[in-house]
Amino acid sequence: MKAISVVGIGKTRYGVFKEKTFLDLSVEAAKRAMEDAGIGPEELEALYLGNYGGSDFINQNHLAPYVGSALGLGAHVPCTHIENACASGGSAVREGILAINSGSARIVLVIGVEKMNTVPTPKVTEFLAKAGDWENEVKVGYTFPCAFAMMARRHMHQYGTTRKHLAAVAVKNHKNGLNNPTAHMHKSITIDQVLEDDRIVADPLRLYDCSLITDGASAVVLSEGAIARSLSDKPVDIVGCGQAADHFALYQKDDLTKFNATVVAADKAYSMAGLRPRDIDVAEVHDCFTIAEILAIEDLGFVPKGQGGPATSDGMTSYGGKFVVNPSGGLKAKGHPVGATGVDQIAEIALQLRGDADDRQVENADFGLTHNLGGSGATCVVHILARN
Amino acid sequence: MKAISVVGIGKTRYGVFKEKTFLDLSVEAAKRAMEDAGIGPEELEALYLGNYGGSDFINQNHLAPYVGSALGLGAHVPCTHIENACASGGSAVREGILAINSGSARIVLVIGVEKMNTVPTPKVTEFLAKAGDWENEVKVGYTFPCAFAMMARRHMHQYGTTRKHLAAVAVKNHKNGLNNPTAHMHKSITIDQVLEDDRIVADPLRLYDCSLITDGASAVVLSEGAIARSLSDKPVDIVGCGQAADHFALYQKDDLTKFNATVVAADKAYSMAGLRPRDIDVAEVHDCFTIAEILAIEDLGFVPKGQGGPATSDGMTSYGGKFVVNPSGGLKAKGHPVGATGVDQIAEIALQLRGDADDRQVENADFGLTHNLGGSGATCVVHILARN
């Protein structure tokens, strides 16, 4: 792989925005990323758009030129929409990297966006469930809270993980989110609050174990490493990139406590970067539910299998710990606008490695990792970034 | 661009198949393509899936690993779903080419698939309309038959095109479809039948001016040119590839009689291939409506602007003419399973250049072109293929 750099970063505020359209959010994030890179639309050579549910949430498909047209991109700019469930954003970044590596583009805009608060919550759950196996699982009642509840139950059974361990993920990420000005939720919570909340979503997961239904967009400008310094004073390099797959349905998995796609994608990314898990200083991982962050830090090799809960409770993944996981607040507090998430993870880690993460800056961060999961784990995309 | 070759071709029969699922169709086409290339799933290094409306037609998203899992692909194979409206298939082929050019994969499977006959026709029209501008056009009654009717009317006004010219497209493509065993429709029609049919869809377009609502899948295996001869006795090279965009909505276009995305995508593809329109012997173009084929052969530079109708009526694009357009029967007779169309075009032209097109073989075909259009023309993908 050629050297690829992140040379522009743009984000909208994440939250519930009845007054902002899908296009408003997409254009706002994209313009900020272009402004950050000091370029106009005429310098872009490709657009990749990560989005999951535009067809359901806003009745709109063909989303990439929809946004490209609103941005005033020239006819010569290929605009392509990537849908890989909750990993749509990570996959869109990866396609952007491949486009540069292929020689077909030197400067690429990647936007991740989702406008979810257009329908009531049960409809959101139904639309998201289309990322699972509709015919064999969803039709009989499968939803993602239910899937991750089963994983949590099995992890508890097999490794002694407790609800208190799960709560530690939520408390940490809510705390981190307080310092992220674009986060959906700015609310400090305690372990007891998580444990005692009686709003059960899917036992053992309660309200605070779940990520948020969020509107938002994030964008990055990627360039060939060779021209990165002409576009940015502080480019950040993408030195590893891995995407992997797995059995599609939960019932096909050998092990409910492990995402094989994470293991394989991480292995590819580490190997490409020539790094090991212990080299990573900061990571944004896919905590769609608290149990998912515990599985992620295990599958990424940060801690041994089964130790994700105690490691989190002991502060290993908090500021001041061995490394920091989800300094942005994660999907839990920052919010989870599905198609935006994977792009925002890249934006967040790039900010950290530039030293531009303000109150949430992780000290001495040289290497960062992003982990974006789709569906019941049938897609995982891992990127590794390095200070230039 | 590195040399890229088509080394495997697979198709299902196109038609209305109540008994075949989306997965059945996808797997059938993919297995035939792998068999044609003499490889098993273990030799694939990436999967790109072109699909437009799985979310609406079969309630299923996250479609690439859905199919990859059913094919038994290994966890290391990244599976990515591309949605670019009716150009989803062409864009999926292009991403496959970029993946090979980037060095991330040597052998790539590209599948295009659509299962449309799951809902009544008015619902199909509504789902397809999501590829237009929902907020500003579709909500007030815009559908694709209506869009192409307006283009036809303007072309008639500006260039003197007649309903008889439009009918000549339908008659030719129905005739060609008779020789395509996988075509949806095997039915010979006459100019008078087209003109006299009283089933008006959107005036001046009547029933025979419209493509079909079709279930089907097509697949190709692409490889690095360097290893193509080890996979196929008759590899076909992709020597040009262009994707372009345009204003998203019809009301934003300067000219209703021209698709600028076609002009720009074709220009890129010709330039990459070092060829001119007159070098093309056979083309599969996006005849979603009869007027669309007339616009396509003009925008691709085969005939001067305004001359598409007379050229078709005079037989220039028929067997025995200057070159052959839509030997497969086109979207008109072969059918238009939206996400499959762009992949099937590549498969068709590759068959022609291999000399494997049986009763529809175009004599002495050295160079072929594919033209895949999305939405109201906001995406166009053009590929040029050459005999190896």
Side-chain angles (χ1 to χ4, degrees), chain A residues 316-363:
Chain A
M316 188 193 279
T317 59
S318 300
Y319 283 83
K322 207 167 141 196
F323 50 93
V324 183
V325 173
N326 284 326
S328 72
L331 287 58
K332 183 70 222 46
K334 179 182 67 183
H336 182 27
V338 172
T341 288
V343 181
D344 196 74
Q345 293 178 327
I346 298 285
E348 272 294 316
I349 294 296
L351 282 176
Q352 289 287 350
L353 299 180
R354 274 162 44 156
D356 286 346
D358 299 328
D359 293 343
R360 64 189 188 283
Q361 183 64 49
V362 174
E363 294 302 318

Side-chain angles (χ1 to χ4, degrees), chain A residues 92-329:
Chain A
V93 170
R94 182 171 179 274
E95 292 305 310
I97 292 170
L98 297 191
I100 296 174
N101 269 315
S102 75
S104 82
R106 288 164 306 168
I107 306 181
V108 172
L109 176 65
V110 185
I111 306 173
V113 57
E114 206 80 49
K115 169 86 184 155
M116 304 177 75
N117 290 284
T118 58
V119 292
T121 301
K123 270 283 165 201
V124 174
T125 306
E126 180 191 323
F127 293 163
L128 294 180
K130 293 183 181 184
D133 183 331
W134 188 273
E135 193 58 33
N136 297 300
E137 297 188 320
V138 182
K139 267 167 94 173
V140 295
Y142 180 96
T143 62
F144 282 106
C146 130
F148 282 84
M150 290 191 281
M151 295 176 209
R153 187 57 75 199
R154 181 69 196 179
H155 205 272
M156 289 169 156
H157 170 74
Q158 208 160 324
Y159 299 112
T161 299
T162 63
R163 281 201 56 228
K164 211 165 165 178
H165 292 140
L166 301 181
V169 173
V171 169
K172 168 179 72 68
N173 290 352
H174 273 254
K175 187 175 172 197
N176 292 352
L178 293 173
N179 289 322
N180 181 357
T182 64
H184 184 160
M185 192 163 277
H186 293 119
K187 179 180 178 179
S188 183
I189 53 172
T190 64
I191 296 284
D192 285 347
Q193 265 179 290
V194 180
L195 293 179
E196 286 160 18
D197 195 283
D198 58 3
R199 290 167 288 185
I200 293 177
V201 173
D203 191 56
L205 305 178
R206 303 201 183 192
L207 192 69
Y208 287 120
D209 290 294
C210 305
S211 59
L212 310 171
I213 297 171
T214 303
D215 305 327
S218 296
V220 291
V221 177
L222 306 179
S223 84
E224 281 184 342
I227 59 172
R229 285 268 163 203
S230 69
L231 294 162
S232 171
D233 293 337
K234 292 184 275 190
V236 169
D237 296 334
I238 302 182
V239 295
C241 170
Q243 179 174 325
D246 198 357
H247 298 300
F248 192 71
L250 199 68
Y251 74 82
Q252 298 167 316
K253 284 167 69 83
D254 297 326
D255 183 349
L256 282 185
T257 66
K258 188 178 87 165
F259 285 118
N260 195 42
T262 298
V263 175
V264 175
D267 191 51
K268 284 190 199 191
Y270 288 131
S271 153
M272 190 183 289
L275 295 172
R276 283 170 297 187
R278 72 170 85 144
D279 298 316
I280 303 300
D281 303 303
V282 54
E284 288 283 328
V285 310
H286 200 92
D287 60 324
C288 47
F289 298 92
T290 47
I291 183 65
E293 178 166 319
I294 289 174
L295 297 184
I297 63 175
E298 294 173 358
D299 296 337
L300 291 165
F302 294 152
V303 299
K305 186 43 79 184
Q307 293 304 304
T312 305
S313 285
D314 295 349
M316 188 193 279
T317 59
S318 300
Y319 283 83
K322 207 167 141 196
F323 50 93
V324 183
V325 173
N326 284 326
S328 72

Side-chain angles (χ1 to χ4, degrees), chain A residues 1 45-46 48 52-56 58-67 69 74-87 91 94-95 97-99 101-104 126-127 129-136 243-249 252 260-261 264 268 374-379, chain B residues 1 45-46 48 52-56 58-67 69 74-87 91 94-95 97-99 101-104 126-127 129-136 243-249 252 260-261 264 268 374-379:
Chain A
M1 185 165 110
E45 296 178 341
Y48 286 94
Y52 169 72
S55 179
D56 282 325
I58 63 159
N59 279 313
Q60 186 66 60
N61 277 330
H62 203 194
L63 293 154
Y66 181 57
V67 172
S69 176
H76 64 285
V77 181
C79 299
T80 300
H81 167 213
I82 308 294
E83 184 277 310
N84 267 355
C86 299
S91 283
R94 182 171 179 274
E95 292 305 310
I97 292 170
L98 297 191
N101 269 315
S102 75
S104 82
E126 180 191 323
F127 293 163
K130 293 183 181 184
D133 183 331
W134 188 273
E135 193 58 33
N136 297 300
Q243 179 174 325
D246 198 357
H247 298 300
F248 192 71
Q252 298 167 316
N260 195 42
V264 175
K268 284 190 199 191
S376 309
T379 299
Chain B
M1 184 166 111
E45 296 179 339
Y48 286 93
Y52 168 72
S55 179
D56 283 325
I58 62 158
N59 279 313
Q60 186 66 57
N61 276 331
H62 202 194
L63 293 154
Y66 181 58
V67 172
S69 176
H76 64 285
V77 181
C79 300
T80 299
H81 167 212
I82 307 294
E83 183 278 309
N84 267 356
C86 298
S91 282
R94 183 172 178 273
E95 293 305 311
I97 292 170
L98 297 191
N101 269 314
S102 75
S104 81
E126 181 191 322
F127 293 163
K130 292 183 182 186
D133 183 332
W134 188 272
E135 193 60 32
N136 298 300
Q243 180 175 325
D246 198 356
H247 299 299
F248 192 71
Q252 298 167 317
N260 196 41
V264 176
K268 285 190 198 191
S376 308
T379 299

Side-chain angles (χ1 to χ4, degrees), chain B residues 25-353:
Chain B
L25 293 166
S26 305
V27 168
E28 184 180 327
K31 286 196 167 166
R32 284 186 184 156
M34 288 190 278
E35 197 181 328
D36 185 46
I39 60 169
E42 65 285 354
E43 292 178 70
L44 293 172
E45 296 179 339
L47 167 65
Y48 286 93
L49 186 91
N51 174 263
Y52 168 72
S55 179
D56 283 325
F57 290 120
I58 62 158
N59 279 313
Q60 186 66 57
N61 276 331
H62 202 194
L63 293 154
Y66 181 58
V67 172
S69 176
L71 283 170
L73 301 190
H76 64 285
V77 181
C79 300
T80 299
H81 167 212
I82 307 294
E83 183 278 309
N84 267 356
C86 298
S88 297
S91 282
V93 170
R94 183 172 178 273
E95 293 305 311
I97 292 170
L98 297 191
I100 295 174
N101 269 314
S102 75
S104 81
R106 287 164 305 169
I107 307 181
V108 173
L109 176 64
V110 185
I111 306 172
V113 57
E114 206 79 49
K115 169 86 184 156
M116 305 177 75
N117 290 285
T118 59
V119 292
T121 301
K123 271 284 166 201
V124 174
T125 306
E126 181 191 322
F127 293 163
L128 295 180
K130 292 183 182 186
D133 183 332
W134 188 272
E135 193 60 32
N136 298 300
E137 296 188 321
V138 182
K139 266 167 93 172
V140 296
Y142 180 96
T143 61
F144 283 105
C146 131
F148 282 85
M150 290 190 280
M151 295 176 209
R153 187 57 74 198
R154 180 70 195 177
H155 205 274
M156 289 169 157
H157 170 74
Q158 209 160 322
Y159 299 112
T161 300
T162 63
R163 282 200 56 229
K164 210 166 166 179
H165 291 140
L166 301 181
V169 172
V171 169
K172 168 180 72 69
N173 291 352
H174 273 254
K175 188 176 171 195
N176 292 351
L178 293 174
N179 289 322
N180 181 356
T182 65
H184 184 159
M185 193 165 276
H186 293 120
K187 179 179 177 180
S188 183
I189 54 172
T190 65
I191 295 285
D192 285 346
Q193 264 179 293
V194 180
L195 294 178
E196 286 160 21
D197 195 282
D198 57 3
R199 290 166 290 183
I200 293 178
V201 174
D203 190 55
L205 305 177
R206 304 204 182 188
L207 192 70
Y208 286 120
D209 290 294
C210 305
S211 58
L212 310 171
I213 298 172
T214 303
D215 307 327
S218 296
V220 290
V221 177
L222 306 180
S223 84
E224 281 182 345
I227 58 172
R229 285 266 162 205
S230 69
L231 294 162
S232 172
D233 293 337
K234 292 183 273 188
V236 171
D237 296 335
I238 302 182
V239 295
C241 169
Q243 180 175 325
D246 198 356
H247 299 299
F248 192 71
L250 198 69
Y251 74 84
Q252 298 167 317
K253 285 168 69 82
D254 297 326
D255 183 348
L256 283 184
T257 65
K258 188 179 87 166
F259 285 118
N260 196 41
T262 298
V263 175
V264 176
D267 192 51
K268 285 190 198 191
Y270 287 131
S271 153
M272 189 182 288
L275 295 172
R276 285 171 295 186
R278 74 170 84 145
D279 298 317
I280 303 301
D281 303 302
V282 53
E284 287 283 327
V285 310
H286 199 93
D287 60 325
C288 47
F289 298 92
T290 47
I291 182 65
E293 178 166 319
I294 289 174
L295 297 183
I297 63 174
E298 293 172 358
D299 296 338
L300 291 165
F302 293 151
V303 299
K305 185 47 78 184
Q307 293 304 304
T312 305
S313 284
D314 293 350
M316 188 192 279
T317 59
S318 301
Y319 284 82
K322 208 166 140 195
F323 49 94
V324 182
V325 174
N326 283 327
S328 72
L331 288 58
K332 182 71 225 39
K334 179 183 65 183
H336 182 27
V338 172
T341 288
V343 180
D344 196 74
Q345 292 179 327
I346 298 285
E348 271 295 315
I349 294 296
L351 282 177
Q352 289 287 350
L353 298 180

